[in-house]
Amino acid sequence: MTGSEDGAIALTRVGERIASCALCPRLVRWRREVADAPPARHAGERYWARPVPGFGDPRARICVLGLATAAHGGNRTGRAFTGNPTGDWVVRALHRAGLANQPTSRHRGDGLRLEGAWAGSVVRCAPPGNRPTPVERDTCLAHLSEEVAALAELRVLVALGGFAWDAVARWAGARPKPRFGHGVEHRLDSGLVLLGSYHPSRQNTNTGVLTEAMLDAVLARAVDIAWPRRAGVTGVRLAGPG
């Protein structure tokens, strides 16, 4: 069995543990309430209504992390960055960067594959008002630890927004806590590089706080760090040996 096969098996087991997690009572109630009373556009759909594991390439060198599972995105579809506007933005950017095989993310059976990348959120359940509590955040960081441990080739963590940045810094024990900013990077004691990007929320993308070019620049920097021999090379797929 190869190392990548070992990693895939480990990540599958981690994903199963994440999906069965019920440690945060408020989030357990909320994810079910959302599923029981969906908006009209999703009427009749069967919601996942469980914590959402990360997904992607077991040989990923880049991990993209959002704030939390979206109530009608991952909480509905069962896959991170899937079925909502934020997911659309992120997956289009991953595709432009050569890290995804297609620019769309609609449902788990849509054929999307990440290549050299892993994607998820620091809080795996949909929180009320999209605002996890500090206790919920810290409880969920154990899942991040397990995923990172199984991603043996990981080099870069891309934090989408200040919440994800602060959560990763807390998880990594970074002292003093590095200040968040778009395009800011910080090398963690583990050797992983933490990159910051403004969050691709509708508020940020509709107002120009975050543009596609800005997100592309962050992912291009992540690619340069993850595959330094390929720095400056564009238009190539990044899957396979580096």
Side-chain angles (χ1 to χ4, degrees):
M1 184 177 293
T2 66
S4 60
E5 289 172 337
D6 285 343
I9 291 170
L11 286 162
T12 296
R13 291 173 177 166
V14 170
E16 290 169 350
R17 288 193 290 272
I18 292 172
S20 64
C21 182
L23 292 177
C24 300
R26 187 180 78 117
L27 300 187
V28 171
R29 289 193 301 271
W30 179 250
R31 70 195 191 208
R32 291 173 178 166
E33 288 176 13
V34 167
D36 289 342
R41 68 184 184 276
H42 298 308
E45 294 186 37
R46 183 175 181 179
Y47 274 52
W48 171 261
R50 287 183 277 167
V52 177
F55 80 103
D57 186 350
R59 298 184 63 184
R61 295 191 180 190
I62 298 169
C63 178
V64 179
L65 293 166
L67 187 164
T69 297
H72 304 291
N75 188 58
R76 175 174 60 89
T77 64
R79 191 176 70 190
F81 297 115
T82 301
N84 69 320
T86 293
D88 292 342
W89 257 75
V90 172
V91 172
R92 284 199 304 269
L94 289 170
H95 183 256
R96 291 192 298 269
L99 298 168
N101 70 318
Q102 64 187 41
T104 56
S105 179
R106 299 289 183 258
H107 54 83
R108 281 182 292 161
D110 61 6
L112 174 64
R113 298 190 312 276
L114 302 188
E115 303 171 352
W118 189 260
S121 57
V122 293
V123 174
R124 308 306 175 107
C125 289
N130 209 31
R131 293 181 178 275
T133 68
V135 171
E136 290 163 351
R137 173 203 62 201
D138 293 349
T139 299
C140 227
L141 291 180
H143 299 320
L144 178 61
S145 292
E146 286 197 283
E147 284 187 339
V148 168
L151 292 167
E153 298 187 33
L154 192 62
R155 303 287 186 274
V156 186
L157 295 164
V158 178
L160 301 178
F163 183 95
W165 173 278
D166 289 346
V168 173
R170 184 177 181 86
W171 164 80
R175 295 290 184 274
K177 185 178 74 174
R179 181 174 294 182
F180 170 72
H182 185 82
V184 171
E185 58 185 80
H186 177 81
R187 186 169 294 274
L188 302 170
D189 289 345
S190 64
L192 296 174
V193 175
L194 175 59
L195 289 180
S197 170
Y198 293 142
H199 191 277
S201 65
R202 279 184 170 179
Q203 180 179 356
N204 284 346
T205 59
N206 287 346
T207 60
V209 171
L210 179 68
T211 65
E212 289 187 335
M214 291 168 66
L215 185 53
D216 288 350
V218 170
L219 291 179
R221 176 58 181 155
V223 168
D224 288 349
I225 295 168
W227 291 274
R229 287 182 291 162
R230 296 177 177 178
V233 178
T234 59
V236 296
R237 310 311 299 176
L238 298 174

